[in-house]
Amino acid sequence: MNDMTVDAAQRAPESSDIVFTGHDDEFRDLLRKGALLEIVTFGFYRFWLATKIRQHLWSHTVLDGDAFAYLGTARELLIGFLFAIAILAPIYLASFLLGVEAERAQSFASSVFGVFFLTFWQFAIYRARRYRLHRTAWRGLRFHMEGSGVSYALRAMGWGFVSVVTLGLALPWMQAALERYKMRHTYYGDLRGDFIATGGSFFKQGWLLWIGAAFTAAAYLVGPVLYELTKQGAWFLLMLPTLPALVFIYARFKALQWKWWLEGVRIGDVRAASTLERHALTRNYWIFVGLFFASLLAAGIGAALAIAFLPKILGVVLAVFFYLALIVQYSILWRTYFVQRVWRIVVNSLTIHNLHAAQEVAMRLDASPPTALGEGFADSLDVAGF
């Protein structure tokens, strides 16, 4: 490094702005059209909609004056999905045939295939993330990811077993270990990633939420048991506060998790600081719950009135229409409040430090572009992310 480069690095600002510039109206229009086309095409438009959503999010995320770019295509996602279905279909068929053969075989098959699909689910998550990273670029240079999906899946299953045995107490350490594996195989050009946050720090910040989750889970378990023992429906009153408690706990947990993860990520010497508060996502979750239940109630009332007061065929047609409208509304609400709004809140809470370390990055020549097969696996198991 020559003197001019050193001087430039020393003069570079310690922090850089990152902002989300997307507009709600534009995203809502995208979702309305996309949700309707998903119904018309029996769900196949979702590959195009997922691509458009990512293009919207990436292109409106601006770091130091330059936007990110999403380079994936819907065709890649569709082909990956079809390949995944071709591979998984015989496995589904074998599971079904073993279940039909005998009751004992069915019980055995359920256990074996259950473990297999849980492991495969983790494999799909890793491969899908690898695909999305390689289709992400900033200033003309792509991110990419190496590592083994099988190795990650086995680690995830091992940690999952420990988490179950410890009643969820090991979850922070599980997430820290898995994130370290993912980030240490992540690159921006030739800058290698890392993850320095620890499970202990996550647990210290969220131990009250763990206690709240334990009490909520206990209410779910105790209420039905007491009802079976006493046949008194009053015991189900124990479960009434659980929905608002779950919304509150989960919203705060996700905000805590986002902040913990973002501040633990490293790309070379580049790091992030977040001002995300624990209550930052709570309003989003409550709005979603309120609007969804209002939509569910309206659809139920509309379908009941249509069947009760209209000629049979017309009533059934209208009831189906209300059902489809509910699906469209759910799709729009979910992607609005759990995807775009969360993305905006999280991005706008960030400050990026030491960005000058990524100014003179070279692309790794050994970086092989992954196919969308991993994304197809994730989509076929309904675990694809944005």
Side-chain angles (χ1 to χ4, degrees):
M1 183 179 290
N2 57 38
D3 293 339
M4 292 181 63
T5 304
V6 172
D7 291 341
Q10 289 175 344
R11 291 194 303 269
E14 286 297 318
S15 61
S16 303
D17 293 330
I18 180 169
V19 294
F20 181 69
T21 61
H23 297 290
D24 291 347
D25 291 342
E26 178 186 353
F27 191 72
R28 247 191 318 266
D29 289 342
L30 185 156
L31 291 184
R32 288 195 187 106
K33 295 174 184 176
L36 291 172
L37 286 171
E38 278 187 298
I39 290 178
V40 172
T41 60
F42 301 99
F44 273 92
Y45 186 75
R46 65 182 173 180
F47 307 108
W48 281 262
L49 180 56
T51 300
K52 289 179 182 294
I53 289 174
R54 292 172 189 173
Q55 288 171 345
H56 173 87
L57 297 176
W58 271 244
S59 65
H60 288 96
T61 302
V62 181
L63 172 59
D64 199 33
D66 291 298
F68 287 81
Y70 178 72
L71 308 175
T73 67
R75 182 173 174 272
E76 288 178 336
L77 298 182
L78 176 59
I79 293 173
F81 173 78
L82 294 177
F83 268 108
I85 290 298
I87 294 171
L88 291 174
I91 300 172
Y92 281 115
L93 180 61
S95 175
F96 173 76
L97 292 177
L98 279 174
V100 171
E101 185 65 25
E103 190 68 29
R104 181 178 298 177
Q106 182 179 12
S107 177
F108 175 76
S110 297
S111 301
V112 172
F113 284 105
V115 172
F116 170 80
F117 280 114
L118 281 174
T119 307
F120 201 78
W121 180 63
Q122 294 294 340
F123 171 82
I125 289 175
Y126 189 85
R127 296 286 298 185
R129 172 164 161 158
R130 182 181 177 184
Y131 167 78
R132 288 193 296 272
L133 271 174
H134 198 274
R135 296 320 191 259
T136 299
W138 182 67
R139 290 182 174 171
L141 194 61
R142 295 189 189 216
F143 292 81
H144 65 277
M145 188 174 182
E146 299 175 350
S148 166
V150 174
S151 177
Y152 175 83
L154 294 176
R155 291 166 186 260
M157 290 300 292
W159 273 107
F161 175 76
V162 174
S163 294
V164 170
V165 170
T166 60
L167 301 178
L169 291 177
L171 182 63
W173 287 269
M174 170 184 172
Q175 295 205 339
L178 296 180
E179 287 301 328
R180 273 195 299 274
Y181 184 85
K182 286 186 284 189
M183 287 306 304
R184 288 176 181 177
H185 290 90
T186 297
Y187 294 85
Y188 173 65
D190 57 3
L191 281 185
R192 186 185 181 190
D194 199 359
F195 189 74
I196 66 167
T198 65
S201 65
F202 193 12
F203 182 79
K204 287 177 184 177
Q205 296 175 62
W207 66 272
L208 280 175
L209 296 178
W210 264 263
I211 293 175
F215 276 109
T216 303
Y220 266 106
L221 295 173
V222 171
V225 170
L226 291 177
Y227 172 75
E228 289 298 324
L229 293 174
T230 64
K231 299 301 181 183
Q232 294 183 14
W235 290 115
F236 277 101
L237 293 175
L238 284 172
M239 300 174 64
L240 290 181
T242 56
L243 178 59
L246 281 175
V247 174
F248 176 81
I249 291 170
Y250 190 69
R252 293 178 77 88
F253 169 77
K254 291 304 293 183
L256 176 64
Q257 183 186 46
W258 270 112
K259 182 178 174 65
W260 171 80
W261 179 77
L262 288 164
E263 294 190 340
V265 165
R266 297 290 185 272
I267 300 290
D269 291 329
V270 181
R271 63 181 179 86
S274 174
T275 59
L276 197 68
E277 301 288 344
R278 295 194 181 193
H279 57 78
L281 304 180
T282 304
R283 181 173 178 271
N284 258 20
Y285 281 67
W286 279 119
I287 292 175
F288 170 82
V289 170
L291 292 176
F292 174 70
F293 275 103
S295 302
L296 183 64
L297 182 62
I301 292 174
L305 291 176
I307 292 175
F309 295 104
L310 293 176
K312 186 174 182 179
I313 295 179
L314 181 58
V316 171
V317 169
L318 278 177
V320 171
F321 170 80
F322 283 119
Y323 173 71
L324 293 176
L326 180 62
I327 294 177
V328 170
Q329 181 70 352
Y330 173 80
S331 172
I332 293 172
L333 290 174
W334 178 271
R335 287 160 171 158
T336 296
Y337 291 100
F338 290 160
V339 178
Q340 190 246 17
R341 299 288 173 86
V342 169
W343 184 283
R344 181 177 65 190
I345 291 169
V346 170
V347 168
N348 289 340
S349 76
L350 290 176
T351 301
I352 307 300
H353 295 276
N354 301 326
L355 188 61
H356 59 82
Q359 298 299 327
E360 297 183 8
V361 178
M363 173 60 78
R364 287 168 57 93
L365 297 178
D366 59 344
S368 56
T371 66
L373 184 59
E375 180 92 359
F377 284 139
D379 195 72
S380 64
L381 294 169
D382 198 25
V383 297
F386 61 84

